[in-house]
Amino acid sequence: MRTRAIDPTTTSYAQAFEVEGPSRWLFVSGQVPAHGDGGVPQTFGDQCRPAWANVERQLSAAGMGLDNLVKVTIFLSDRLYRDENMRIRHEVLAGRTPALTVIITGIYDEAWLLEIEAVAAA
């Protein structure tokens, strides 16, 4: 499989992401900011990390990792979290630049400040 970020930015995403010849696709449902015991932290920063960890857990279960991400959609409960979301996403992705959409929306559970869904290819 060959991948290529098209017009990548300095904030960990690309305007487009080309995937050539994948043999497997993984569609990750929205991952919420809950820990394994169901506990949800109160602050956005403390929620962002378990949400990303849950994405990574699903990737790992399919024998993939962050390098396999081709598209990420992040749902934020409020614009106020935009900058912190970008900073933590940039940290987590560590130079990886999948295609990205961020949507400000109401989220299923009022305690959740974000939800992350993803598409990966291998």
Side-chain angles (χ1 to χ4, degrees), residues 25-46:
W25 288 93
L26 177 67
F27 296 85
V28 180
S29 294
Q31 297 299 297
V32 301
H35 293 290
D37 64 2
V40 177
Q42 289 190 344
T43 68
F44 181 82
D46 289 340

Side-chain angles (χ1 to χ4, degrees), residues 55-96:
V55 169
E56 289 186 77
R57 188 180 295 80
Q58 300 310 315
L59 292 168
S60 179
M64 297 184 187
L66 293 174
D67 288 334
N68 296 100
L69 287 176
V70 297
K71 175 69 168 93
V72 173
T73 304
I74 301 174
F75 301 90
L76 299 178
S77 65
D78 196 301
R79 270 185 187 78
L80 296 173
Y81 305 124
R82 187 179 71 176
D83 292 341
E84 191 170 7
N85 173 64
M86 183 175 63
R87 181 182 58 75
I88 293 171
R89 183 187 74 244
H90 190 71
E91 210 175 276
V92 169
L93 293 180
R96 297 170 185 92

Side-chain angles (χ1 to χ4, degrees), residues 13-30:
Y13 75 94
Q15 296 298 321
F17 199 92
E18 179 181 30
V19 180
E20 187 178 307
S23 58
R24 295 186 307 129
W25 288 93
L26 177 67
F27 296 85
V28 180
S29 294

